[in-house]
Amino acid sequence: FPVTIQPEDEELTGGEARTKDDPIWNLGLSPTLAIREENTNEIIGYNGTLDLTNIKDFNTGKLLTSIPFKFKTVNGNFICRGMGLKDLTNAPDLVTGDFDCANNNLTSLQGAPKQVNGQFNAANNKITSLEGIPRSCSGITLRQNDIDSLDVSYPVSILNSGDFNVSNNNITSLLSGDITVDGEFNVSTNQLKNDSLNLQQCLIRVKTKMIAK
């Protein structure tokens, strides 16, 4: 159900006065969990899970279709799935839990967090490239996109027995990509050529197994 804030909610926990231009107030988030810059009071982080799905902005009364402002660090999960997002502008830099932006209209991962300690899920979008995926996380799901290459311009590490799922894309070769996968590498239902299926030639470093059928 959509979440909204009623006008009569005039005080924050602890007695602070609410202001309608405060984004925490506008989104119905807990003000006590916000991390603010000491000198400027600017919001720089959040201690808890942020789920923007089905949240209404109090000022407009409309469901969010973008990430409205930037939390640099989220100490929890960050969920922005199924919002109709066209890009990841204002996504956090660091998420200590999971980051879920599945089921949107994303064509690019530019702006995604640089580090996700949990799972990174961007399934069922229109993403065409790996550029922008986190440099470090505990699993990546990119199934059902339009990715045609595993090229990425920086090293990527999937840790903690995490899997890398790029099934149901348009990938033609495994002979590229500077990616280490601690778990399972699923590249099934793509456009792979026979000479690309030899794991010994694959540049993706896989510690368990590859699924390519």
Side-chain angles (χ1 to χ4, degrees):
F1 294 98
V3 176
T4 188
I5 295 294
Q6 302 301 320
E8 58 265 30
D9 289 339
E10 295 176 350
E11 292 188 352
L12 304 176
T13 302
E16 286 185 61
R18 291 186 186 271
T19 57
K20 291 187 177 181
D21 59 352
D22 188 326
I24 293 292
W25 186 85
N26 287 336
L27 298 181
L29 303 175
S30 172
T32 60
L33 299 180
I35 304 171
R36 297 177 183 267
E37 182 69 44
E38 184 175 352
N39 295 327
T40 65
N41 207 37
E42 176 190 2
I43 299 167
I44 58 174
Y46 196 78
N47 286 321
T49 288
L50 276 174
D51 186 350
L52 301 183
T53 307
N54 292 327
I55 283 186
K56 285 183 177 180
D57 185 292
F58 172 70
N59 286 331
T60 66
K62 295 180 179 180
L63 290 172
L64 297 177
T65 57
S66 63
I67 302 172
F69 59 94
K70 189 175 184 70
F71 292 97
K72 295 179 182 178
T73 300
V74 173
N75 294 315
N77 302 326
F78 190 93
I79 304 168
C80 53
R81 63 182 291 135
M83 294 173 54
L85 294 181
K86 295 181 180 179
D87 59 56
L88 290 175
T89 300
N90 287 334
D93 296 327
L94 168 64
V95 177
T96 64
D98 298 335
F99 182 89
D100 188 350
C101 61
N103 303 332
N104 281 294
N105 297 314
L106 301 172
T107 59
S108 169
L109 290 172
Q110 296 292 346
K114 296 179 176 62
Q115 180 178 339
V116 176
N117 292 353
Q119 302 283 325
F120 179 86
N121 183 8
N124 195 24
N125 278 284
K126 302 173 183 178
I127 297 162
T128 60
S129 167
L130 294 185
E131 286 296 324
I133 62 172
R135 295 173 182 267
S136 174
C137 61
S138 294
I140 293 177
T141 300
L142 288 167
R143 58 181 173 78
Q144 294 182 313
N145 277 284
D146 297 322
I147 298 166
D148 58 12
S149 171
L150 294 173
D151 285 335
V152 63
S153 60
Y154 49 86
V156 174
S157 297
I158 301 174
L159 309 171
N160 303 318
S161 300
D163 300 331
F164 183 33
N165 187 337
V166 285
S167 61
N168 294 92
N169 278 279
N170 301 314
I171 297 167
T172 59
S173 174
L174 301 179
L175 306 181
S176 62
D178 187 3
I179 303 172
T180 300
V181 183
D182 203 25
E184 182 178 279
F185 175 38
N186 187 341
V187 70
S188 61
T189 319
N190 274 280
Q191 306 295 323
L192 292 172
K193 301 174 183 178
N194 290 335
D195 61 357
S196 174
L197 294 177
N198 188 342
L199 190 56
Q200 292 180 342
Q201 294 179 319
C202 174
L203 295 185
I204 309 295
R205 294 171 291 279
V206 183
K207 294 188 177 180
T208 55
K209 67 176 180 177
M210 178 177 72
I211 300 173
K213 293 184 179 181

